[in-house]
Amino acid sequence: MIWEIDDGEKQIEGLDATGHPDPGYAASLGLLPAPFGRRTMATLAELLVLALFALPAMLVATPALAEILSGAGDAGAMLADGALVWPIVTLAVGNVLATVFIVVQLVLLGRKGVTAGKAVFGLRTVNVRTLERPGFWRGAVVRYLVLSLSFLLPLLGPLLVVALSPFFDSERRGRSWLDQAGATWMVDVRRGLNPYDVKRMRIARKSVRITEHASGPALPSLATPVERDAPAQYTPSGRLSGGVIGAHRRMSPPQPGAPGAPVAPSAPTATPVAPAAATPFAPAVAPTGMVDAVPPPLVAGQLLDSFAPSPAAPTPPSAAGSDEPAPSPAAAAPAASAAGGVPAVRAVLRLDDGSRVEVRGATLLGRAPAPVAGEGAMQLVAVADDTRSVSKTHLAILPSRRGVLVVDRGSTNGSAVVRDGSDLTLTPGDPVPVQAGDVVRFGDRTLTIERA
């Protein structure tokens, strides 16, 4: 562990090699010198307030003072008669108000760098070296004493000290003789940075102090490549399907046995099931004229069993010497399929990108299709969609005895069947029969039903 001892010396930024304030550093922070016109107007506004405090005393005390000076009245007699009461009261009140105003001005100037005139005209005073508050004694009291001494030369003294002296500044920062005596600098906070805004001032100092490094090499993009077969530049690790960013998947079919290859559905195991009560249902008649016998609503865990082809009765072997002809290979193929061989192709899905998918069993389509718990093995078809209009599990294509059925799996953007120019919007969870030539629209993608 390294211990650092604070020696109490504060490092002042913005000083040159000789210890003098650098005007370029203040300019790089965004500090701008106060303009001449507003400096003068701020001083005149404060003098006007002092004149207003002294006006009542001048109006009341001036006639009494003139009478005493001219010898027309006796001061003692006037005091005994009470003629000098109001002149004395107005003088006292005026002096008290002026004193309070001056003290408040000095405190605000030393601690906040602002006075009444500076607040009105958007000016602030800072210490010229530290660019912080000027301090009470030198930054406020010394300035006030110099300004008071300038009135010994009526009119010309204040004009020279306040208005004309900024033009003689060798650094061209607009510092008057008052600023040079108090080691202060008056800045414009309307157009430039406010030095008393601690947060912005800290950011400005850091931006000047810290050197910007050259930009490094571009990092790999996290976006999924636009081209379907483009190599993935970056694949996030440890991400699930619910993550915001998904790993890029190539559209080319994987080799059998490779990781990620679809698993062929296993042959159904004959399990004795008690016969269920028949559920009556009416044929679904679509507005486009699509009529088919639609089975009852789907139940999780029965998706495959509901639409699996009924097993064919086994053919007894022909006796030796029988005249019955042997079944043809074409007639024996469906029986072999039903007996547990490779499922027959029930339909072909031609996607809008030209790819073709053979429907041999229950098939799910989407950006990242996945069956719900209890549905068993299903054929999964990942559809690339850069616009993300296709849901993760968007459609289900289910074989039936008279063809195939299409079911919307509660997608976000919905699905529809297009036949002869008419659209039939799919209700989520309700199977709809389709036939060869029908177009199924899901999100921004489409597919066409073709015969096997």
Side-chain angles (χ1 to χ4, degrees):
M1 180 181 295
I2 300 176
W3 295 89
E4 295 183 358
I5 301 177
D6 187 7
D7 55 3
E9 296 183 2
K10 182 179 180 180
Q11 298 294 332
I12 301 177
E13 300 178 356
L15 301 180
D16 56 15
T18 60
H20 292 84
D22 183 10
Y25 175 78
S28 63
L29 295 179
L31 298 176
L32 300 178
F36 168 75
R38 279 192 278 162
R39 287 176 58 102
T40 305
M41 295 298 295
T43 304
L44 293 179
E46 296 170 2
L47 295 177
L48 180 61
V49 174
L50 292 176
L52 292 177
F53 290 154
L55 182 60
M58 295 175 60
L59 295 178
V60 176
T62 300
L65 182 61
E67 184 178 353
I68 294 174
L69 294 178
S70 64
D74 184 10
M78 295 176 62
L79 184 60
D81 295 341
L84 295 181
V85 174
W86 284 110
I88 294 176
V89 170
T90 54
L91 284 174
V93 172
N95 288 332
V96 170
L97 292 178
T99 303
V100 171
F101 178 75
I102 292 173
V103 171
V104 172
Q105 292 277 90
L106 293 178
V107 173
L108 290 177
L109 181 61
R111 297 183 61 85
K112 301 295 183 180
V114 66
T115 58
K118 294 179 178 61
V120 173
F121 292 95
L123 306 177
R124 297 293 185 274
T125 299
V126 296
N127 186 288
V128 70
R129 300 182 76 249
T130 63
L131 300 180
E132 297 175 355
R133 61 183 184 179
F136 177 75
W137 292 108
R138 183 173 182 180
V141 176
V142 173
R143 283 174 56 94
Y144 175 74
L145 293 178
V146 174
L147 179 62
S148 301
L149 292 176
S150 67
F151 284 93
L152 296 177
L153 186 61
L155 188 61
L156 183 59
L159 181 64
L160 180 62
V161 172
V162 177
L164 299 180
S165 60
F167 294 100
F168 303 109
D169 184 12
S170 60
E171 297 179 351
R172 297 185 179 276
R173 302 174 70 178
R175 298 181 63 207
S176 65
W177 290 349
L178 297 178
D179 295 325
Q180 295 180 11
T184 58
W185 181 37
M186 193 178 301
V187 297
D188 181 9
V189 297
R190 288 184 179 177
R191 297 183 298 111
L193 175 65
N194 185 358
Y196 294 93
D197 190 339
V198 180
K199 182 177 180 180
R200 294 184 58 191
M201 193 68 176
R202 182 172 64 252
I203 294 175
R205 288 182 183 273
K206 286 185 177 181
S207 62
V208 174
R209 181 173 62 253
I210 299 176
T211 304
E212 295 185 0
H213 298 281
S215 59
L219 298 178
S221 174
L222 297 179
T224 303
V226 177
E227 298 181 2
R228 293 179 294 119
D229 294 333
Q233 297 182 359
Y234 177 77
T235 302
S237 60
R239 295 295 183 95
L240 302 177
S241 60
V244 177
I245 303 174
H248 172 56
R249 300 179 180 177
R250 299 179 62 89
M251 295 302 296
S252 56
Q255 299 296 329
V263 180
S266 59
T269 304
T271 303
V273 180
T279 303
F281 62 92
V285 181
T288 58
M290 294 184 290
V291 181
D292 199 350
V294 181
L298 304 181
V299 180
Q302 300 179 359
L303 186 59
L304 287 179
D305 298 336
S306 301
F307 302 100
S310 58
T315 304
S318 59
S322 174
D323 295 335
E324 295 288 339
S328 63
S337 175
V342 179
V345 179
R346 308 303 298 273
V348 176
L349 309 179
R350 179 168 51 84
L351 299 178
D352 50 7
D353 58 2
S355 59
R356 299 166 66 88
V357 178
E358 296 180 350
V359 178
R360 298 177 180 271
T363 304
L364 295 180
L365 289 87
R367 289 188 291 108
V372 298
E375 285 186 343
M378 306 184 75
Q379 182 180 1
L380 307 180
V381 179
V383 179
D385 183 24
D386 298 332
T387 62
R388 303 180 71 86
S389 64
V390 177
S391 300
K392 290 185 177 181
T393 305
H394 200 116
L395 278 180
I397 308 297
L398 308 173
S400 68
R401 293 181 179 86
R402 299 180 60 183
V404 292
L405 304 173
V406 178
V407 184
D408 184 271
R409 297 294 293 263
S411 62
T412 302
N413 296 317
S415 310
V417 176
V418 182
R419 179 185 296 176
D420 298 332
S422 301
D423 291 5
L424 172 63
T425 303
L426 301 184
T427 303
D430 292 345
V432 174
V434 291
Q435 60 187 19
D438 290 349
V439 177
V440 180
R441 184 175 67 250
F442 56 107
D444 293 339
R445 300 295 303 271
T446 60
L447 61 87
T448 304
I449 307 296
E450 296 182 351
R451 296 186 182 277

